[in-house]
Amino acid sequence: MSFEPVKYAACALPVGHPDYADYVIRVILRPHGQWEVFHAGPQGEGGHGGKYLNADGRWCAPDEHDWWSRDEHLFDLDTARALAMDAAVTVAVHGRTAADVIAADESAVVR
């Protein structure tokens, strides 16, 4: 029996933030020890249904090409984790980055 991590999460928002699920980037184990970087995006109406990061930095939906015949979205773990950390800072949901969300939260705080 073995017990191994098969998924990691990177997000610029704290885990308890109400928008965390919309901004979290997942690093998911695929066959043969390769990893993919996935952003589920906003849930419900207006969501994009999930996109995968390509080696060239583009987010692509699964229906844009045959995922299992192309390796451009598969990485070694260190590369996938680094890409996810970068993406967590830059990913936008409805035109807003996590930094925009944090700034809006801070301006709403009563002092």
XYZ file of all heavy atoms in Angstrom:
858
model
N 0.841 -1.165 0.000
C 0.000 0.000 0.000
C 0.892 1.234 0.000
O 1.937 1.259 0.625
C -0.886 -0.007 1.253
C -1.747 1.229 1.342
S -2.690 1.378 2.868
C -3.781 0.012 2.728
N 0.430 2.249 -0.725
C 1.150 3.525 -0.718
C 0.158 4.655 -0.479
O -1.040 4.496 -0.692
C 1.894 3.735 -2.035
O 0.982 3.914 -3.090
N 0.679 5.749 -0.024
C -0.125 6.939 0.222
C 0.672 8.112 -0.298
O 1.748 8.408 0.214
C -0.397 7.074 1.728
C -1.334 8.190 2.063
C -2.699 8.022 1.943
C -0.839 9.406 2.513
C -3.561 9.051 2.262
C -1.703 10.445 2.832
C -3.065 10.257 2.713
N 0.184 8.750 -1.362
C 0.937 9.816 -2.001
C 0.043 11.013 -2.288
O -1.148 10.840 -2.556
C 1.495 9.332 -3.339
C 2.380 8.126 -3.268
C 2.757 7.661 -4.667
O 3.038 8.508 -5.521
O 2.753 6.461 -4.891
N 0.613 12.211 -2.291
C -0.179 13.367 -2.714
C -0.412 13.301 -4.224
O 0.497 12.957 -4.982
C 0.707 14.557 -2.348
C 2.089 14.006 -2.251
C 1.956 12.560 -1.886
N -1.623 13.573 -4.639
C -1.940 13.549 -6.071
C -2.483 14.891 -6.543
O -2.801 15.059 -7.714
C -2.950 12.434 -6.426
C -2.348 11.070 -6.167
C -4.253 12.611 -5.670
N -2.573 15.862 -5.617
C -3.083 17.175 -5.985
C -2.521 18.217 -5.023
O -2.396 17.963 -3.826
C -4.603 17.181 -5.905
C -5.240 18.432 -6.465
C -6.753 18.483 -6.250
C -7.479 17.340 -6.855
N -8.940 17.481 -6.727
N -2.154 19.370 -5.566
C -1.709 20.513 -4.775
C -2.576 21.709 -5.149
O -3.184 21.718 -6.222
C -0.241 20.853 -5.072
C 0.738 19.790 -4.655
C 1.118 18.785 -5.535
C 1.283 19.800 -3.376
C 2.024 17.804 -5.149
C 2.192 18.826 -2.989
C 2.557 17.833 -3.886
O 3.454 16.870 -3.497
N -2.599 22.724 -4.304
C -3.368 23.930 -4.579
C -2.507 25.156 -4.319
O -1.743 25.197 -3.361
C -4.616 23.976 -3.714
N -2.641 26.145 -5.189
C -1.970 27.430 -5.017
C -3.009 28.520 -5.211
O -3.794 28.477 -6.163
C -0.844 27.587 -6.043
N -3.032 29.471 -4.297
C -3.992 30.569 -4.408
C -3.428 31.780 -3.682
O -2.858 31.648 -2.602
C -5.347 30.162 -3.818
S -6.654 31.362 -4.158
N -3.598 32.952 -4.282
C -3.137 34.184 -3.649
C -4.094 34.653 -2.558
O -3.750 35.530 -1.772
C -2.958 35.274 -4.702
N -5.286 34.069 -2.506
C -6.253 34.397 -1.460
C -6.123 33.384 -0.328
O -5.804 32.228 -0.572
C -7.681 34.360 -2.014
C -7.996 35.340 -3.144
C -9.407 35.099 -3.669
C -7.832 36.775 -2.671
N -6.431 33.791 0.900
C -6.389 32.825 2.001
C -7.470 31.766 1.832
O -8.524 32.021 1.234
C -6.626 33.678 3.243
C -7.092 35.003 2.771
C -6.747 35.141 1.331
N -7.240 30.579 2.378
C -8.154 29.442 2.212
C -9.585 29.787 2.620
O -10.536 29.366 1.973
C -7.643 28.215 3.009
C -8.658 27.093 3.001
C -6.322 27.741 2.445
N -9.781 30.567 3.643
C -11.123 30.883 4.111
C -11.825 32.005 3.365
O -12.970 32.330 3.655
N -11.160 32.606 2.384
C -11.759 33.728 1.652
C -12.941 33.237 0.819
O -12.881 32.167 0.218
C -10.703 34.381 0.749
C -11.137 35.698 0.203
N -12.002 35.806 -0.858
C -10.837 36.958 0.594
C -12.207 37.084 -1.117
N -11.514 37.805 -0.249
N -14.034 34.013 0.766
C -15.210 33.563 0.015
C -14.967 33.340 -1.479
O -15.689 32.575 -2.116
C -16.243 34.674 0.230
C -15.580 35.762 0.977
C -14.247 35.283 1.454
N -13.946 33.972 -2.054
C -13.641 33.807 -3.477
C -12.519 32.809 -3.747
O -12.075 32.658 -4.883
C -13.276 35.155 -4.105
C -14.448 36.111 -4.133
O -15.584 35.650 -4.376
O -14.234 37.318 -3.908
N -12.052 32.125 -2.700
C -10.930 31.191 -2.843
C -11.168 30.172 -3.963
O -10.315 29.965 -4.816
C -10.684 30.470 -1.517
C -9.582 29.439 -1.568
C -8.259 29.805 -1.336
C -9.845 28.095 -1.850
C -7.235 28.873 -1.370
C -8.826 27.155 -1.898
C -7.528 27.547 -1.664
O -6.521 26.630 -1.709
N -12.330 29.543 -3.970
C -12.604 28.476 -4.951
C -12.539 28.975 -6.385
O -12.181 28.219 -7.290
C -13.969 27.841 -4.674
N -12.857 30.242 -6.605
C -12.811 30.793 -7.963
C -11.386 31.061 -8.437
O -11.121 31.089 -9.634
C -13.598 32.100 -8.034
C -15.089 31.896 -7.887
O -15.562 30.741 -8.011
O -15.799 32.894 -7.649
N -10.473 31.275 -7.496
C -9.107 31.676 -7.846
C -8.055 30.580 -7.677
O -6.932 30.737 -8.142
C -8.697 32.906 -7.028
C -9.353 34.173 -7.525
C -10.620 34.532 -7.091
C -8.725 34.980 -8.459
C -11.241 35.682 -7.559
C -9.329 36.129 -8.932
C -10.588 36.474 -8.484
O -11.198 37.609 -8.956
N -8.391 29.497 -7.027
C -7.393 28.471 -6.732
C -6.910 27.791 -8.017
O -7.691 27.522 -8.932
C -7.924 27.440 -5.711
C -9.052 26.595 -6.295
C -6.802 26.556 -5.188
N -5.619 27.537 -8.071
C -4.980 26.824 -9.175
C -4.580 25.459 -8.633
O -3.935 25.365 -7.590
C -3.709 27.566 -9.675
C -4.025 29.035 -10.009
C -3.088 26.820 -10.839
C -4.984 29.241 -11.149
N -4.930 24.422 -9.328
C -4.626 23.063 -8.868
C -3.530 22.444 -9.733
O -3.491 22.637 -10.942
C -5.866 22.194 -8.929
C -7.002 22.779 -8.133
C -7.692 21.767 -7.289
N -8.840 22.324 -6.610
C -8.817 22.808 -5.383
N -7.717 22.787 -4.691
N -9.901 23.298 -4.818
N -2.661 21.700 -9.077
C -1.638 20.898 -9.749
C -2.050 19.453 -9.519
O -2.131 19.002 -8.373
C -0.233 21.187 -9.168
C 0.804 20.279 -9.791
C 0.136 22.656 -9.380
N -2.350 18.751 -10.600
C -2.969 17.427 -10.507
C -2.084 16.378 -11.175
O -1.617 16.574 -12.306
C -4.358 17.438 -11.178
C -5.237 18.527 -10.541
C -5.028 16.075 -11.081
C -6.506 18.833 -11.309
N -1.881 15.269 -10.479
C -1.079 14.167 -11.012
C -1.814 13.486 -12.159
O -2.992 13.179 -12.066
C -0.795 13.149 -9.904
C 0.037 11.925 -10.306
C 1.431 12.341 -10.764
C 0.119 10.956 -9.133
N -1.094 13.240 -13.237
C -1.604 12.526 -14.397
C -0.774 11.250 -14.557
O 0.210 11.052 -13.849
C -1.509 13.391 -15.660
C -2.290 14.692 -15.589
C -3.735 14.551 -15.197
N -4.448 13.602 -16.009
C -5.638 13.107 -15.725
N -6.245 13.460 -14.620
N -6.220 12.254 -16.509
N -1.121 10.388 -15.496
C -0.356 9.149 -15.682
C 1.133 9.403 -15.952
O 1.514 10.444 -16.463
C -1.026 8.512 -16.903
C -2.419 9.054 -16.901
C -2.292 10.464 -16.377
N 1.923 8.434 -15.593
C 3.378 8.427 -15.847
C 4.127 9.508 -15.093
O 5.149 10.011 -15.555
C 3.668 8.513 -17.347
C 2.889 7.524 -18.157
N 3.087 6.159 -18.053
C 1.879 7.683 -19.040
C 2.240 5.534 -18.855
N 1.488 6.427 -19.458
N 3.588 9.927 -13.934
C 4.296 10.881 -13.097
C 4.319 12.295 -13.613
O 5.111 13.108 -13.145
N 3.463 12.614 -14.553
C 3.400 13.978 -15.065
C 2.266 14.719 -14.368
O 1.334 14.119 -13.837
C 3.203 13.969 -16.575
C 4.395 13.370 -17.302
C 4.192 13.397 -18.794
O 3.220 12.870 -19.300
N 5.116 14.028 -19.486
N 2.362 16.045 -14.383
C 1.417 16.887 -13.660
C 0.818 17.926 -14.599
O 1.472 18.400 -15.516
C 2.130 17.590 -12.514
C 2.671 16.635 -11.500
C 3.822 15.899 -11.597
C 2.081 16.283 -10.256
N 3.981 15.125 -10.482
C 2.923 15.334 -9.639
C 0.925 16.680 -9.591
C 2.647 14.784 -8.395
C 0.648 16.140 -8.353
C 1.504 15.199 -7.765
N -0.443 18.304 -14.332
C -1.081 19.370 -15.101
C -1.485 20.493 -14.151
O -1.675 20.272 -12.954
C -2.297 18.857 -15.860
C -3.409 18.324 -14.982
C -4.474 17.576 -15.756
O -4.291 17.292 -16.952
O -5.512 17.271 -15.147
N -1.598 21.701 -14.706
C -1.983 22.883 -13.944
C -3.386 23.262 -14.401
O -3.610 23.518 -15.584
C -0.986 24.040 -14.176
C -1.392 25.269 -13.393
C 0.434 23.598 -13.817
N -4.333 23.278 -13.452
C -5.750 23.428 -13.774
C -6.381 24.561 -12.976
O -6.123 24.712 -11.782
C -6.473 22.113 -13.439
C -7.956 22.136 -13.660
C -8.482 22.117 -14.939
C -8.825 22.167 -12.581
C -9.855 22.125 -15.147
C -10.200 22.172 -12.772
C -10.710 22.155 -14.066
N -7.199 25.350 -13.652
C -7.977 26.414 -12.996
C -9.451 26.158 -13.281
O -9.896 26.268 -14.427
C -7.570 27.793 -13.525
C -8.374 28.911 -12.942
N -9.011 29.843 -13.729
C -8.647 29.237 -11.664
C -9.643 30.700 -12.943
N -9.433 30.355 -11.686
N -10.204 25.793 -12.253
C -11.635 25.521 -12.432
C -12.400 26.798 -12.732
O -13.393 26.773 -13.442
C -12.209 24.840 -11.192
N -11.917 27.917 -12.211
C -12.578 29.189 -12.458
C -13.837 29.352 -11.648
O -14.126 28.570 -10.750
N -14.606 30.382 -11.993
C -15.820 30.651 -11.229
C -16.842 29.543 -11.413
O -16.982 28.983 -12.495
C -16.317 31.977 -11.801
C -15.677 32.096 -13.125
C -14.391 31.334 -13.059
N -17.537 29.243 -10.351
C -18.561 28.213 -10.389
C -19.899 28.837 -10.793
O -20.118 30.020 -10.608
C -18.687 27.537 -9.023
C -17.363 26.990 -8.512
C -16.728 25.989 -9.469
O -17.379 25.048 -9.875
N -15.489 26.223 -9.833
N -20.764 28.032 -11.352
C -22.103 28.504 -11.702
C -22.114 29.323 -12.976
O -21.243 29.203 -13.839
N -23.096 30.180 -13.084
C -23.291 30.975 -14.282
C -22.078 31.867 -14.547
O -21.552 32.505 -13.656
C -24.525 31.849 -14.101
C -25.149 32.257 -15.405
C -26.501 32.922 -15.191
O -27.316 32.365 -14.430
O -26.699 33.966 -15.779
N -21.626 31.882 -15.767
C -20.475 32.689 -16.134
C -19.142 31.985 -15.942
O -18.096 32.532 -16.245
N -19.161 30.747 -15.444
C -17.927 29.983 -15.264
C -17.417 29.478 -16.602
O -18.172 29.324 -17.546
N -16.109 29.229 -16.681
C -15.552 28.769 -17.952
C -15.386 27.261 -18.015
O -14.896 26.731 -19.008
C -14.256 29.490 -18.308
C -13.152 29.367 -17.291
N -12.613 28.178 -16.906
C -12.500 30.315 -16.600
C -11.664 28.386 -16.028
N -11.582 29.676 -15.808
N -15.797 26.548 -16.978
C -15.769 25.096 -17.031
C -14.406 24.465 -16.841
O -14.253 23.267 -16.972
N -13.418 25.236 -16.547
C -12.090 24.711 -16.280
C -11.160 24.827 -17.467
O -11.543 24.554 -18.599
N -9.938 25.253 -17.181
C -8.917 25.388 -18.225
C -7.594 24.864 -17.705
O -7.332 24.876 -16.512
C -8.786 26.846 -18.657
C -10.047 27.358 -19.339
C -9.840 28.695 -19.962
C -11.103 29.108 -20.686
N -10.923 30.307 -21.471
N -6.778 24.418 -18.639
C -5.464 23.861 -18.339
C -4.392 24.787 -18.896
O -4.545 25.349 -19.981
C -5.323 22.474 -18.970
C -6.289 21.482 -18.390
C -7.587 21.381 -18.859
C -5.904 20.643 -17.345
C -8.484 20.471 -18.315
C -6.788 19.729 -16.795
C -8.077 19.653 -17.287
O -8.952 18.760 -16.743
N -3.295 24.919 -18.154
C -2.205 25.779 -18.581
C -1.283 25.016 -19.522
O -0.858 23.902 -19.223
C -1.421 26.267 -17.357
C -0.405 27.368 -17.592
C -1.087 28.641 -18.095
C 0.356 27.654 -16.314
N -0.968 25.624 -20.662
C -0.023 25.050 -21.622
C 1.390 25.531 -21.309
O 1.568 26.517 -20.584
C -0.369 25.473 -23.054
C -1.509 24.678 -23.612
O -1.822 23.597 -23.137
N -2.140 25.202 -24.642
N 2.360 24.881 -21.888
C 3.760 25.252 -21.687
C 4.041 26.681 -22.144
O 4.942 27.329 -21.620
C 4.675 24.276 -22.426
N 3.260 27.184 -23.094
C 3.470 28.551 -23.579
C 2.736 29.597 -22.733
O 2.716 30.769 -23.070
C 3.086 28.673 -25.049
C 1.608 28.435 -25.312
O 0.837 28.267 -24.337
O 1.218 28.411 -26.489
N 2.099 29.161 -21.628
C 1.447 30.085 -20.721
C -0.005 30.391 -21.037
O -0.626 31.205 -20.370
N -0.566 29.752 -22.053
C -1.971 29.964 -22.407
C -2.865 29.009 -21.628
O -2.507 27.863 -21.402
C -2.227 29.722 -23.899
C -1.661 30.760 -24.819
C -1.987 30.476 -26.289
N -1.565 29.124 -26.668
C -2.405 28.153 -27.046
N -3.695 28.353 -27.112
N -1.937 26.958 -27.379
N -4.037 29.489 -21.242
C -5.058 28.641 -20.638
C -5.927 28.106 -21.759
O -6.414 28.866 -22.591
C -5.925 29.437 -19.657
C -5.198 29.854 -18.430
C -4.663 31.078 -18.161
C -4.911 29.037 -17.285
N -4.079 31.070 -16.923
C -4.217 29.835 -16.363
C -5.185 27.706 -16.954
C -3.783 29.359 -15.132
C -4.761 27.230 -15.726
C -4.069 28.052 -14.829
N -6.144 26.793 -21.798
C -6.953 26.168 -22.835
C -8.003 25.265 -22.214
O -7.732 24.560 -21.243
C -6.081 25.322 -23.761
S -4.878 26.284 -24.676
N -9.194 25.283 -22.799
C -10.260 24.386 -22.361
C -9.998 23.000 -22.929
O -9.396 22.865 -24.002
C -11.611 24.912 -22.827
N -10.457 21.952 -22.243
C -10.220 20.581 -22.722
C -10.741 20.326 -24.122
O -10.150 19.561 -24.863
C -10.965 19.709 -21.710
C -11.064 20.542 -20.494
C -11.134 21.965 -20.966
N -11.813 20.971 -24.514
C -12.373 20.718 -25.839
C -11.630 21.435 -26.959
O -11.967 21.286 -28.127
C -13.861 21.065 -25.875
C -14.136 22.519 -25.545
O -13.198 23.245 -25.171
O -15.300 22.921 -25.662
N -10.593 22.208 -26.620
C -9.845 22.918 -27.649
C -8.885 22.022 -28.414
O -8.446 22.353 -29.487
C -9.096 24.108 -27.044
C -10.046 25.193 -26.572
C -9.311 26.378 -25.997
O -8.213 26.709 -26.476
O -9.841 26.976 -25.047
N -8.524 20.889 -27.841
C -7.695 19.901 -28.553
C -7.744 18.588 -27.803
O -8.298 18.492 -26.717
C -6.254 20.385 -28.743
C -5.548 20.772 -27.491
N -5.106 19.859 -26.564
C -5.206 21.980 -27.002
C -4.513 20.484 -25.580
N -4.567 21.769 -25.804
N -7.183 17.574 -28.371
C -7.170 16.250 -27.759
C -6.099 16.217 -26.674
O -4.911 16.141 -26.947
C -6.887 15.193 -28.824
C -6.854 13.788 -28.261
O -7.127 13.614 -27.050
O -6.542 12.867 -29.021
N -6.523 16.279 -25.403
C -5.587 16.395 -24.291
C -4.615 15.239 -24.187
O -3.463 15.419 -23.826
C -6.359 16.510 -22.975
C -6.898 17.876 -22.826
C -8.182 18.269 -23.026
C -6.165 19.058 -22.544
N -8.293 19.621 -22.863
C -7.065 20.124 -22.562
C -4.826 19.322 -22.266
C -6.688 21.432 -22.319
C -4.445 20.620 -22.015
C -5.366 21.662 -22.046
N -5.043 14.049 -24.457
C -4.183 12.906 -24.184
C -3.220 12.606 -25.306
O -2.350 11.777 -25.160
C -5.038 11.695 -23.833
C -5.943 12.072 -22.706
C -7.297 12.094 -22.718
C -5.555 12.548 -21.427
N -7.786 12.544 -21.528
C -6.731 12.832 -20.706
C -4.333 12.775 -20.797
C -6.726 13.317 -19.405
C -4.332 13.259 -19.502
C -5.507 13.519 -18.826
N -3.319 13.291 -26.419
C -2.363 13.050 -27.494
C -1.294 14.141 -27.547
O -0.398 14.071 -28.358
C -3.082 12.966 -28.839
O -3.644 14.225 -29.165
N -1.390 15.141 -26.696
C -0.420 16.238 -26.715
C 0.150 16.444 -25.326
O -0.558 16.377 -24.331
C -1.094 17.508 -27.212
C -1.557 17.322 -28.660
C -2.316 18.465 -29.187
N -1.509 19.673 -29.235
C -1.945 20.788 -29.800
N -3.124 20.827 -30.339
N -1.195 21.862 -29.800
N 1.422 16.713 -25.258
C 2.107 16.840 -23.974
C 2.328 18.283 -23.529
O 2.946 18.514 -22.501
C 3.460 16.146 -24.041
C 3.326 14.640 -24.155
O 2.297 14.106 -23.693
O 4.251 14.016 -24.703
N 1.820 19.249 -24.275
C 2.124 20.645 -23.954
C 1.513 21.127 -22.648
O 1.845 22.198 -22.168
C 1.712 21.559 -25.101
C 0.230 21.588 -25.359
C -0.119 22.340 -26.623
O 0.664 22.285 -27.581
O -1.171 22.970 -26.638
N 0.630 20.361 -22.054
C 0.043 20.754 -20.768
C 0.514 19.862 -19.626
O 0.001 19.969 -18.513
C -1.487 20.731 -20.851
C -2.045 19.354 -20.919
N -1.959 18.585 -22.040
C -2.667 18.604 -19.993
C -2.515 17.412 -21.793
N -2.955 17.391 -20.567
N 1.506 19.010 -19.874
C 2.026 18.113 -18.845
C 3.440 18.530 -18.451
O 4.254 18.860 -19.313
C 2.027 16.667 -19.348
C 0.647 16.100 -19.671
C 0.789 14.723 -20.311
C -0.228 16.032 -18.435
N 3.714 18.485 -17.147
C 4.987 18.982 -16.632
C 5.514 18.061 -15.538
O 4.771 17.270 -14.976
C 4.786 20.381 -16.018
C 4.080 21.347 -16.913
C 2.714 21.556 -16.795
C 4.775 22.044 -17.881
C 2.047 22.449 -17.621
C 4.122 22.941 -18.718
C 2.752 23.140 -18.588
N 6.791 18.215 -15.203
C 7.304 17.565 -13.999
C 6.757 18.353 -12.812
O 6.254 19.478 -12.968
C 8.836 17.524 -14.001
C 9.458 18.913 -13.979
O 9.513 19.525 -12.887
O 9.857 19.396 -15.054
N 6.803 17.787 -11.624
C 6.176 18.409 -10.458
C 6.748 19.786 -10.144
O 5.994 20.727 -9.889
C 6.296 17.492 -9.230
C 5.702 18.046 -7.935
C 4.231 18.410 -8.093
C 5.914 17.066 -6.802
N 8.061 19.936 -10.165
C 8.654 21.231 -9.821
C 8.204 22.326 -10.784
O 7.880 23.440 -10.374
C 10.188 21.144 -9.807
C 10.710 20.336 -8.635
O 9.971 20.188 -7.631
O 11.854 19.849 -8.717
N 8.177 22.005 -12.076
C 7.737 22.977 -13.077
C 6.263 23.311 -12.879
O 5.873 24.488 -12.900
C 7.975 22.437 -14.500
O 9.367 22.175 -14.664
C 7.508 23.424 -15.558
N 5.426 22.298 -12.680
C 3.990 22.522 -12.490
C 3.722 23.378 -11.259
O 2.887 24.289 -11.298
C 3.259 21.185 -12.389
N 4.425 23.115 -10.178
C 4.223 23.912 -8.959
C 4.656 25.356 -9.175
O 3.976 26.288 -8.735
C 4.973 23.283 -7.795
C 4.290 22.005 -7.322
C 5.057 21.279 -6.262
N 5.164 22.115 -5.054
C 5.780 21.717 -3.967
N 6.348 20.534 -3.903
N 5.839 22.508 -2.911
N 5.763 25.575 -9.869
C 6.223 26.940 -10.145
C 5.223 27.676 -11.043
O 4.897 28.844 -10.794
C 7.606 26.910 -10.793
N 4.727 26.996 -12.063
C 3.733 27.605 -12.952
C 2.456 27.944 -12.185
O 1.848 28.993 -12.394
C 3.410 26.667 -14.119
C 4.509 26.490 -15.165
C 4.167 25.338 -16.107
C 4.717 27.784 -15.940
N 2.033 27.056 -11.286
C 0.825 27.289 -10.504
C 1.000 28.490 -9.577
O 0.077 29.301 -9.417
C 0.456 26.044 -9.699
N 2.154 28.620 -8.969
C 2.412 29.752 -8.076
C 2.371 31.069 -8.864
O 1.790 32.053 -8.413
C 3.762 29.585 -7.384
C 3.858 28.354 -6.525
S 3.175 28.541 -4.904
C 4.436 29.496 -4.118
N 2.980 31.075 -10.049
C 2.927 32.276 -10.899
C 1.494 32.567 -11.329
O 1.047 33.716 -11.305
C 3.806 32.106 -12.139
C 5.284 32.122 -11.825
O 5.672 32.561 -10.722
O 6.069 31.681 -12.691
N 0.770 31.527 -11.727
C -0.600 31.705 -12.202
C -1.525 32.188 -11.090
O -2.452 32.962 -11.337
C -1.131 30.391 -12.798
N -1.281 31.758 -9.865
C -2.132 32.153 -8.744
C -2.121 33.668 -8.538
O -3.108 34.251 -8.091
C -1.688 31.444 -7.461
N -1.025 34.303 -8.900
C -0.905 35.749 -8.739
C -1.531 36.496 -9.914
O -2.054 37.597 -9.760
C 0.581 36.138 -8.592
C 0.761 37.637 -8.524
C 1.186 35.467 -7.366
N -1.518 35.890 -11.095
C -1.941 36.602 -12.300
C -3.315 36.202 -12.837
O -3.867 36.921 -13.658
C -0.915 36.392 -13.426
O -0.812 34.990 -13.712
C 0.449 36.930 -13.031
N -3.871 35.069 -12.399
C -5.148 34.616 -12.949
C -6.242 35.644 -12.641
O -6.262 36.246 -11.571
C -5.537 33.213 -12.427
C -5.924 33.235 -10.958
C -6.642 32.607 -13.272
N -7.110 35.866 -13.623
C -8.205 36.820 -13.462
C -9.541 36.094 -13.569
O -9.699 35.194 -14.386
C -8.115 37.920 -14.506
N -10.463 36.496 -12.742
C -11.830 35.984 -12.772
C -12.734 37.195 -12.975
O -12.703 38.130 -12.174
C -12.178 35.238 -11.467
C -13.632 34.836 -11.441
C -11.269 34.027 -11.294
N -13.485 37.183 -14.054
C -14.345 38.318 -14.418
C -13.535 39.616 -14.449
O -13.988 40.658 -13.981
C -15.532 38.441 -13.471
C -16.404 37.234 -13.434
N -17.031 36.714 -14.549
C -16.751 36.417 -12.424
C -17.734 35.642 -14.229
N -17.564 35.430 -12.938
N -12.289 39.531 -14.953
C -11.443 40.700 -15.110
C -10.740 41.166 -13.854
O -10.041 42.178 -13.880
N -10.887 40.430 -12.744
C -10.261 40.831 -11.483
C -9.241 39.794 -11.042
O -9.540 38.611 -10.980
C -11.319 40.986 -10.392
C -12.316 42.091 -10.655
C -13.402 42.139 -9.611
N -12.809 42.282 -8.273
C -13.479 42.068 -7.160
N -14.736 41.697 -7.189
N -12.893 42.208 -5.989
N -8.036 40.239 -10.705
C -7.020 39.350 -10.158
C -7.250 39.210 -8.656
O -8.032 39.956 -8.059
C -5.605 39.899 -10.391
O -5.465 41.106 -9.644
C -5.325 40.137 -11.881
N -6.541 38.283 -8.042
C -6.625 38.123 -6.586
C -6.185 39.412 -5.892
O -6.754 39.789 -4.860
C -5.782 36.940 -6.137
N -5.201 40.107 -6.444
C -4.752 41.380 -5.856
C -5.888 42.406 -5.864
O -6.056 43.161 -4.902
C -3.540 41.917 -6.610
N -6.683 42.427 -6.932
C -7.837 43.329 -6.996
C -8.856 42.987 -5.906
O -9.424 43.868 -5.268
C -8.527 43.252 -8.366
C -7.647 43.699 -9.509
O -6.763 44.553 -9.292
O -7.848 43.190 -10.629
N -9.083 41.693 -5.705
C -10.037 41.241 -4.685
C -9.549 41.644 -3.301
O -10.322 42.165 -2.482
C -10.250 39.710 -4.769
C -11.077 39.201 -3.610
C -10.894 39.333 -6.097
N -8.268 41.426 -3.034
C -7.696 41.784 -1.730
C -7.779 43.293 -1.509
O -8.152 43.750 -0.426
C -6.243 41.278 -1.618
C -6.253 39.745 -1.559
C -5.547 41.881 -0.406
C -4.893 39.114 -1.749
N -7.459 44.077 -2.536
C -7.523 45.536 -2.415
C -8.950 45.997 -2.135
O -9.174 46.891 -1.308
C -6.993 46.196 -3.683
N -9.927 45.379 -2.789
C -11.333 45.740 -2.553
C -11.741 45.384 -1.135
O -12.480 46.129 -0.483
C -12.232 45.041 -3.570
N -11.263 44.243 -0.641
C -11.566 43.830 0.729
C -10.987 44.833 1.732
O -11.638 45.194 2.700
C -11.003 42.441 1.037
C -11.762 41.328 0.357
O -12.848 41.598 -0.197
O -11.259 40.188 0.384
N -9.744 45.263 1.489
C -9.085 46.194 2.409
C -9.781 47.541 2.430
O -9.912 48.163 3.471
C -7.609 46.341 2.046
C -6.809 45.107 2.373
C -5.357 45.189 1.931
O -4.962 46.213 1.328
O -4.621 44.226 2.183
N -10.267 47.994 1.263
C -10.946 49.302 1.226
C -12.308 49.234 1.894
O -12.856 50.259 2.297
C -11.063 49.790 -0.216
O -11.937 48.957 -0.957
N -12.870 48.041 2.031
C -14.182 47.884 2.662
C -14.086 47.791 4.185
O -15.102 47.878 4.873
C -14.867 46.631 2.128
N -12.881 47.637 4.706
C -12.692 47.516 6.140
C -12.940 48.878 6.795
O -12.386 49.889 6.384
C -11.280 47.025 6.483
C -11.033 47.044 7.986
C -11.070 45.632 5.931
N -13.788 48.897 7.811
C -14.060 50.134 8.540
C -12.935 50.353 9.537
O -12.593 49.486 10.317
C -15.413 50.030 9.287
C -15.671 51.294 10.102
C -16.525 49.766 8.309
N -12.369 51.525 9.517
C -11.260 51.841 10.417
C -11.704 52.802 11.484
O -12.502 53.596 11.384
C -10.094 52.410 9.634
C -9.600 51.410 8.610
C -8.304 51.922 8.007
N -7.972 51.263 6.777
C -7.438 50.065 6.657
N -7.197 49.362 7.704
N -7.146 49.564 5.513
